[in-house]
Amino acid sequence: MQYFSEVKSKVDFDSIGFEKCTNSLYIQSKRMSYKENGKKKTWDIISSLDSVSILLYHKDFDSFLVVRQFRPAVYLNNNDGYTYELCAGLVDKAEKSLEQIAIEEVFEECGYQIQPQKLEKIASFYSSTGISGSKQTIFFATICQKDKVNEGGGIDDECIEVLFLPINQAQAFIDDDSIAKTSGLGYAFKWYIDKFKGF
């Protein structure tokens, strides 16, 4: 089934290789020792940053705006690596609120300018609890064409595709296990369907 009316071809990449990660700006590995019910235990943890994501509903197109990008960690599992996701970003600016970071991500990844008051918090939850326990906060915002100020696609060397998924195909998209998508995207779609559409 073709969900999107137009999907760009994959970004070219090659020269894939792997090496030990000894110094990262984004993660740190730790081993925790503790006792539970008197039994000594250890657990290996990848300490990572929290994140925000934004479910964007485009009212002029009656569609969700989603992004598609290459994820190396997913590539290890499916030899493809491309995932469909909500617009999202790391919480890496201590001086900025979650809402401020969210609207920056919408601008950079998707090309739309929105105001903090347009954001509605959907939920916060912990992801990858077995290895990192990072916290993600999901927001919702309605956008329209008058909010568009650039083409999006990310900043620096990010390669992000901006796509529109018609609302009437959202449930089928969630249920299609052949598509690599994030859990946050599925959760947010379900939230919207339950709250506004009832199908």
Side-chain angles (χ1 to χ4, degrees):
M1 182 175 184
Q2 184 70 37
Y3 297 101
F4 303 96
S5 56
E6 186 175 325
V7 177
K8 297 177 184 177
S9 60
K10 292 181 181 179
V11 176
D12 290 331
F13 67 93
D14 56 22
S15 303
I16 296 173
F18 299 94
E19 61 188 59
K20 285 189 176 181
C21 180
T22 57
N23 185 16
S24 173
L25 297 173
Y26 307 104
I27 63 170
Q28 292 181 342
S29 59
K30 300 176 182 178
R31 176 164 291 164
M32 176 177 160
S33 300
Y34 62 103
K35 282 187 176 181
E36 185 176 32
N37 292 332
K39 183 176 181 181
K40 187 175 180 180
K41 296 183 178 182
T42 61
W43 196 267
D44 294 338
I45 302 166
I46 299 296
S47 181
S48 59
L49 296 170
D50 293 341
S51 63
V52 295
S53 59
I54 310 94
L55 173 64
L56 295 168
Y57 170 68
H58 198 298
K59 65 181 180 181
D60 294 336
F61 301 155
D62 194 26
S63 297
F64 292 128
L65 187 157
V66 300
V67 299
R68 181 177 178 267
Q69 58 186 316
F70 178 72
R71 295 295 195 181
V74 176
Y75 177 86
L76 281 176
N77 282 325
N78 67 6
N79 291 314
D80 177 69
Y82 287 90
T83 60
Y84 294 92
E85 309 174 12
L86 299 175
C87 170
L90 296 175
V91 178
D92 57 358
K93 303 175 183 75
E95 75 282 4
K96 294 187 176 181
S97 68
L98 295 180
E99 289 80 5
Q100 288 172 319
I101 293 173
I103 61 175
E104 280 186 3
E105 294 298 332
V106 173
F107 176 80
E108 293 170 0
E109 291 192 3
C110 304
Y112 289 79
Q113 185 71 64
I114 61 173
Q115 300 303 315
Q117 60 267 25
K118 291 190 72 174
L119 293 171
E120 176 182 351
K121 183 178 175 182
I122 295 177
S124 292
F125 56 86
Y126 291 93
S127 58
S128 302
T129 53
I131 192 166
S132 73
S134 58
K135 188 176 184 179
Q136 182 175 100
T137 300
I138 304 180
F139 294 100
F140 168 74
T142 297
I143 56 174
C144 60
Q145 277 304 91
K146 71 178 183 180
D147 299 321
K148 186 173 181 180
V149 292
N150 63 58
E151 292 304 311
I155 58 172
D156 301 325
D157 60 351
E158 289 182 314
C159 298
I160 298 172
E161 294 180 57
V162 179
L163 304 167
F164 294 96
L165 176 68
I167 287 289
N168 61 9
Q169 296 183 39
Q171 186 65 61
F173 184 82
I174 294 169
D175 295 338
D176 191 337
D177 290 338
S178 69
I179 298 170
K181 51 192 172 290
T182 62
S183 56
L185 180 145
Y187 181 94
F189 279 13
K190 285 285 194 181
W191 172 87
Y192 183 93
I193 289 168
D194 290 345
K195 183 167 183 175
F196 296 107
K197 292 292 183 178
F199 62 85

